[in-house]
Amino acid sequence: MELIATAESLEQAEALINAGADRLYVGGHPFGLRLPKPLNLESIGQIADLAHRHGKKITVACNALMHNEQIHKLAPYLSQLGKFAVDTVSIGDPGAIFILRELGLPLPFIYDAGTLVTSAEQIAFWISQGASGAISARELTLKELIAMQKKLDRPIEVQVYGPTCIHQSGRPLLKNYFNYTGEVPKNDQTLYLRDPKNSDSHYPIFEDTDGTHIFSTDDLSLMGQLKLMYENGLTKWKLDGVLLHGGRFVQITALFDEARRAIESGAFVPESFCNRLVKLQPAYRPLSTGFYLKNPEDVH
């Protein structure tokens, strides 16, 4: 079982390693999407060095769908990541994959095309093109993921904690809105949309250089399903802290590490770990299992 956690700083990266994370997930603009904090190359290099000194790994997000200006900047960026000896990059744009192969760098890539990663056959194709693995779409059910995993010879990465992005636009929607209303723009990740039919709903919305992002009103948690996933070969678990910063995300990572060790020892009690996670979870972000426990027929 591999525990993957997003890191927003060198300090948090060290805390996450101490909490049990096996792999740190970082990145920066304009190549990485929806990160807890975009990092520059110097910071990424420092985190890579830290991870390797502790015998851990690092993945750098290059998962944007890239326009010409991004593609032109990508080669020197990847070359620098190669110098840092980062363990993998996550890429979903075929053009970016072409650039990576053209450079001939010893830099493995994980296929990450968001909502497009929905079949074992697609993953197998990209593995045949050099991918070392793939990150599954958030819209899949566990039933589908288990069926996919049985067809593959390497584990799929599955998000087990954190928010789900339900909409992205390349347009600066918040900036345009504030220009229209004449209000002072706010872009500190504390803005929400609300369903008029549900007064308890709040969908986080923020804007960055990649555009505007809207997230689900709750956070995904598969704590109760970890043992089932482990038994079916789904052993790469991603924790996403894009909306949860600082020490609380580190505590949640430590809890998932404890759950992993409990599974290994045969002492895992799902209800106990789920209850402990609820106590760590911010009250304004309820937990749910998202699409994962639905029947595939109800989703598609």
Side-chain angles (χ1 to χ4, degrees):
M1 289 171 276
E2 183 181 34
L3 207 58
I4 305 160
T6 58
E8 63 186 27
S9 66
L10 180 63
E11 293 72 23
Q12 192 193 47
E14 185 168 16
L16 287 166
I17 289 173
N18 293 332
D22 303 299
R23 182 185 297 270
L24 301 173
Y25 187 90
V26 300
H29 295 315
F31 308 112
L33 292 179
R34 291 179 293 278
L35 302 157
K37 184 178 179 181
L39 302 175
N40 58 31
L41 278 171
E42 180 182 3
S43 296
I44 291 173
Q46 291 172 342
I47 292 174
D49 180 64
L50 171 74
H52 294 153
R53 281 191 281 111
H54 285 83
K56 307 297 183 179
K57 296 181 179 180
I58 178 174
T59 294
V60 179
C62 296
N63 56 342
L65 291 176
M66 300 185 193
H67 293 258
N68 288 334
E69 60 271 18
Q70 291 166 288
I71 287 289
H72 293 156
K73 297 175 182 177
L74 183 61
Y77 188 79
L78 291 173
S79 296
Q80 189 60 55
L81 295 181
K83 292 178 181 178
F84 295 151
V86 305
D87 298 281
T88 52
V89 292
S90 64
I91 295 183
D93 187 316
I97 295 171
F98 177 80
I99 294 291
L100 178 62
R101 293 178 64 179
E102 193 175 50
L103 290 171
L105 297 170
L107 196 58
F109 76 93
I110 301 170
Y111 182 60
D112 178 14
T115 58
L116 301 180
V117 190
T118 55
S119 73
E121 288 73 18
Q122 182 185 174
I123 294 172
F125 169 80
W126 285 107
I127 288 174
S128 74
Q129 298 301 308
S132 61
I135 300 173
S136 64
R138 308 293 189 262
E139 292 78 12
L140 292 173
T141 65
L142 271 181
K143 184 177 180 180
E144 291 172 297
L145 285 168
I146 290 170
M148 287 169 58
Q149 186 60 75
K150 289 179 178 178
K151 296 181 179 181
L152 299 167
D153 60 359
R154 60 195 72 187
I156 308 165
E157 182 180 311
V158 180
Q159 182 176 331
V160 297
Y161 174 81
T164 300
C165 182
I166 61 175
H167 176 77
Q168 179 191 348
S169 171
R171 297 181 175 88
L173 300 182
L174 289 178
K175 179 181 178 181
N176 292 343
Y177 170 80
F178 286 117
N179 285 341
Y180 178 78
T181 62
E183 298 178 58
V184 177
K186 294 177 65 177
N187 193 26
D188 55 3
Q189 297 191 20
T190 60
L191 295 175
Y192 301 91
L193 298 177
R194 176 164 291 165
D195 183 347
K197 297 180 180 179
N198 181 3
S199 60
D200 294 328
S201 65
H202 56 283
Y203 298 88
I205 176 173
F206 71 85
E207 182 183 304
D208 58 20
T209 58
D210 299 309
T212 307
H213 312 268
I214 303 173
F215 289 87
S216 56
T217 191
D218 49 18
D219 279 339
L220 172 71
S221 170
L222 294 184
M223 179 66 83
Q225 289 69 47
L226 294 182
K227 187 171 182 291
L228 174 65
M229 295 173 65
Y230 168 68
E231 292 171 343
N232 285 278
L234 297 169
T235 56
K236 285 185 177 288
W237 302 342
K238 167 79 172 295
L239 284 75
D240 193 335
V242 63
L243 298 181
L244 183 63
H245 304 280
R248 189 175 295 191
F249 181 65
V250 175
Q251 289 178 291
I252 288 174
T253 301
L255 183 62
F256 273 85
D257 177 58
E258 186 180 342
R260 168 176 58 175
R261 288 184 277 112
I263 292 171
E264 292 172 335
S265 66
F268 181 65
V269 181
E271 295 79 9
S272 174
F273 280 95
C274 288
N275 290 337
R276 290 170 63 186
L277 179 58
V278 168
K279 293 179 181 178
L280 291 173
Q281 180 71 5
Y284 58 88
R285 294 289 294 171
L287 295 169
S288 80
T289 53
F291 291 99
Y292 288 103
L293 297 190
K294 296 181 182 293
N295 290 319
E297 296 79 12
D298 297 332
V299 176
H300 305 301

